[in-house]
Amino acid sequence: MQRTFSIVKPDAVRKGHTGAVLAMIEAAGFRLVAIKRLSISKQQAAGFYAVHAQRPFFNSLTDFMSSGPIFVMVLEKENAIADLRKLMGATNPANAEEGTIRKKFAGSIEENTIHGSDAEETASFEIGYFFAGYELYTTT
Ligand code: ATP
Ligand code: MG
């Protein structure tokens, strides 16, 4: 079993797509280990996306991610990290495959509905950024 970290981004929450996104995730076989709704500051968004600090879109990205409520979550499944990335589709929805979350809901390369960790180390960092150990403890 592998865990990954995901965010339903502000565009999707604003448009009322949270439930539909979660339904696609569960239908694909992921177990929802933990989920919470929160609003993050621009600084908190910058800490989360620190790897992108030198990118030209960083300022706009951190404004967007702090523009409204998000849902952060931890998902579990065999091969969860790669399988979620596949279900999300390409970063730019124009390039996303049919049947992916971004193809269905994303409006632009920035406002692209969902985040998913891209590797084991980033998943650990991202889960730890938003969740404490007691929120992730499961026995079933
Ligand atoms: P995420 O990390 O959110 O799961 P990703 O791994 O597909 O998405 P990254 O390259 O890590 O894409 O970029 C992080 C986020 O930054 C993207 O999801 C998107 O919201 C935004 N972004 C990426 N490229 C651009 C761009 N060229 N212009 C504007 N925003 C961008
Ligand atoms: Mg990424």
Side-chain angles (χ1 to χ4, degrees):
M1 276 301 176
Q2 187 179 55
R3 286 181 175 186
T4 191
F5 173 79
S6 184
I7 301 178
V8 180
K9 295 185 179 182
D11 59 311
V13 177
R14 256 193 297 275
K15 293 179 191 159
H17 291 153
T18 305
V21 170
L22 294 180
M24 286 178 77
I25 289 170
E26 285 196 315
F30 292 86
R31 195 163 74 102
L32 208 41
V33 174
I35 183 164
K36 56 190 176 186
R37 179 184 188 272
L38 67 165
S39 297
I40 59 173
S41 67
K42 186 173 169 73
Q43 277 178 312
Q44 288 169 327
F48 179 76
Y49 277 122
V51 289
H52 294 316
Q54 301 311 318
R55 302 277 203 98
F57 56 82
F58 184 68
N59 187 52
S60 172
L61 174 63
T62 52
D63 275 340
F64 165 56
M65 290 301 291
S66 58
S67 69
I70 58 176
F71 284 87
V72 294
M73 57 200 167
V74 177
L75 305 172
E76 192 170 74
K77 183 185 182 297
E78 253 154 55
N79 206 31
I81 294 171
D83 285 359
L84 181 65
R85 299 280 298 180
K86 200 166 174 204
L87 178 63
M88 285 161 47
T91 309
N92 186 344
N95 303 326
E97 278 180 50
E98 215 54 61
T100 62
I101 292 171
R102 283 169 168 164
K103 174 74 178 182
K104 195 158 189 191
F105 298 113
S108 71
I109 192 170
E110 179 171 271
E111 303 208 353
N112 61 4
T113 306
I114 185 165
H115 163 82
S117 307
D118 59 12
E120 276 190 36
E121 315 81 71
T122 44
S124 308
F125 165 77
E126 292 172 358
I127 290 170
Y129 195 78
F130 283 108
F131 289 94
Y134 79 92
E135 297 177 286
L136 302 170
Y137 181 77
T138 59
T139 53
T140 53

